[in-house]
Amino acid sequence: MINVNNLTKKFGKTTVLNNISTSINRGEVVAIIGPSGSGKSTFLRCLNQLEQPSSGEIWINGKEIAQEKNKELIRKNIGMVFQHFHLFPHMTVLKNITYAPQTVKKISESEAKENALELLKKVGLSEKAETFPNRLSGGQKQRVAIARALAMEPEIMLFDEPTSALDPEMVKEVLDVMKDLANTGMTMVIVTHEMGFAREVADRILFLDEGQLMEDEKPDSFFTHPNTERAQAFLEKIL
Amino acid sequence: MNLDFSQIVPYIPFMLEGIWVTLKFVSVSILVGFILGTLLALCKITKLPFLKGFADAYTSIFRGTPLILQLMIIYFAVPQLTGYDISAFLSAVLAFGLNSAAYVSEIIRAGIMAVDRGQTEAAEALGVPYKDMMMHIILPQAIKNILPALMNEFITLTKESAIVSVIGYLDLMRRAQIVGADIYRNFEPLLFAGLIYWVMVFVLTQIGKVVERRLRYSD
Ligand SMILES: Nc1ncnc2c1ncn2[C@@H]1O[C@H](COP(=O)(O)OP(=O)(O)O)[C@@H](O)[C@H]1O
Ligand SMILES: [Mg+2]
C-alpha cells in the first residue's frame, strides 16, 4: 500500500532523512521509534506531503505522490493525529469532526453529523459533542482529534507521538482507542515512545537514528535482540 | 466666559444630519478597508513574490503619505486626469477605504502569523483547500485575537473622517464650521460637534466590547 524508495529529506544543508526505503502493507500497524531529532516526524510528514522529499519516491496505492499536483486528493485519504492535537478552538467538538467531511467531501450536514456522533461514541465521548475543545482534558482532546481524522474515512492513519503531551493517567484511554482501531484492520503508522504499546500492537518496528532507518523488524525480535548497537543503546536508555 | 449655546439651537437638526452623513461614508470606508485589507494581508503571507511586493509597496505608500494629501489627490486629480467628475462622497470613501486597508492589512497579517502553525497543518492534513482553510479556520481565529487593534483602527478612522471637510463634503465637521460662520461664534458649534464625535466613538467602543465578549466563548 505504501512504498518508500530512497527517501531523502534535507533542510538546507542538514540531512534529516537519509535514503530510507521500506514498504507498508494494507492493514499493517507500524511503530516508528528512535531518539528525538532522528527524523521520525519528518518521515511521517513526508507521507502526507506536509513536507516535500528532497529526493526519492513515495508510492501510495500505486501513485507516486510527488507527481500528484492535487495534494488534497492524497491527504483526504490519510488521517493524521498530532502530538498537540491541533483541534480547531473556535468550533465545537461536533463541528471539529464534521467540518472536513462537509467541506472536502461535500457530505450533507445531517450525514456528517450522524457519522460524527457514531465516531464520538466509538472514542467514548458522546456527551461532549457540543463542548468546545478548551473544556476537554488532554486525553479527551486527542480522542476527538482521532475521531476528526477518522471522519474522512482514510485508508491510512498517521500518529505523531499521540500520547507524549498527555498526563500519565490519560495515556491509556488514547492508546485503547488506537488499539481498537488497529483491530479493525486500519493501516497505521505510529511514532511513539510507548514501548509496551508498540510491542503489543505493532506488526513491525522501524528504528530511526540520525535520519537512517537502522532496523525494520518484528517487535519481538527487535525488543529481545536488536541488531544494531544504536538500537541496543537506545533501548537500554528507555526501558 | 462668554458662551451662548442658545444660538446654535436652530442649527441642531442641520448638525445632527451630519452624523448620518459622517456615519454613511465612515461605515462604507471601514467595509472597503476591511475587505481590501484582508486581501492585502493574504497577499503578504503568500510565497508569490509579485503579490507580496505589490502589497508591501501599497502599504508603504498609503502609510507613508498624509491622508489629507491622498484625499485631495483623489478629489482633484481624478477629474483633471480622466475628466470624470468624482463626487465628494466617492472620493472620501476611496481615500479612507484605501488608506485604512493599508493599516488593516498589517493588523490582519500579524493576526494570521499569531495563529498556531498547527492549525494550518491540521487543516492541510484533512485535505481542506487553502481558501476554506483561510475563511473558516485561520481568519476567524486571527480576527478574534486582533479585534481590539481593529476596533482601534475603526475609531481612528471615525475621528480622522473630519478631514473630509476640506473637500467640501457636508459631514459633521463641515457643518460645525458652516454654523460657526453663520452665527459668528465658533466655539459652541465646535464643542457640540466634539460631543457628537465623542458619543460616536463611545458607542463604537461599546460595540467592540460586546463583540469581543461574544467571541470569547472558546477561551
Ligand atoms: N522545518 C524544519 N526546518 C529545519 N529543520 C527542521 C525542520 N523540521 C525538522 N527539522 C530538523 O530535522 C531533524 C529531525 O526532526 P524531526 O523529524 O522532528 O525529529 P523527531 O520527530 O524524530 O524528533 C531535527 O534536527 C530538526 O531540528
Ligand atoms: Mg517528532
Side-chain angles (χ1 to χ4, degrees), chain A residues 45 72 75 87-88 90 99, chain B residues 119 121 124 127 136 218-219:
Chain A
R45 293 157 60 82
E72 279 99 41
R75 285 170 179 156
L87 294 177
F88 306 131
H90 59 304
Y99 175 72
Chain B
Q119 294 290 307
E121 298 200 335
E124 282 178 354
H136 304 136
S218 55
D219 283 349

Side-chain angles (χ1 to χ4, degrees), chain B residues 97-157:
Chain B
L98 296 178
N99 180 274
S100 182
Y103 289 91
V104 168
S105 72
E106 274 304 291
I107 296 172
I108 293 184
R109 187 192 63 83
I112 291 173
M113 305 300 278
V115 174
D116 181 5
R117 175 100 193 97
Q119 294 290 307
T120 309
E121 298 200 335
E124 282 178 354
L126 287 164
V128 178
Y130 182 83
K131 188 170 134 270
D132 293 298
M133 173 179 86
M134 275 299 160
M135 287 286 283
H136 304 136
I137 295 174
I138 306 301
L139 281 176
Q141 294 184 58
I143 288 177
K144 190 176 117 191
N145 292 335
I146 58 179
L147 207 67
L150 275 181
M151 244 14 238
N152 221 2
E153 165 60 21
F154 298 157
I155 286 169
T156 305
L157 199 154

Side-chain angles (χ1 to χ4, degrees), chain A residues 125-196:
Chain A
L125 290 171
S126 291
E127 74 286 10
K128 298 291 184 190
E130 296 305 327
T131 312
F132 282 93
N134 62 316
R135 296 260 171 261
L136 302 178
S137 72
Q140 291 172 332
K141 279 182 192 160
Q142 197 59 298
R143 286 186 280 154
V144 172
I146 292 172
R148 177 178 69 175
L150 289 175
M152 289 296 287
E153 300 180 319
E155 289 187 274
I156 302 165
M157 283 285 284
L158 310 176
F159 295 83
D160 193 355
E161 302 198 30
T163 59
S164 294
L166 301 180
D167 292 335
E169 75 271 19
M170 291 170 187
V171 169
K172 187 172 176 301
E173 66 191 50
V174 172
L175 293 182
D176 284 346
V177 167
M178 292 169 62
K179 227 180 275 180
D180 288 345
L181 191 58
N183 288 333
T184 67
M186 176 66 79
T187 309
M188 295 163 74
V189 186
I190 307 166
V191 174
T192 186
H193 291 298
E194 296 291 333
M195 294 305 147

Side-chain angles (χ1 to χ4, degrees), chain A residues 11 14 16 34-43 51 160-161 191:
Chain A
F11 287 113
T14 46
V16 174
S36 143
S38 57
K40 306 181 295 293
S41 298
T42 307
F43 178 75
E51 303 284 0
D160 193 355
E161 302 198 30
V191 174

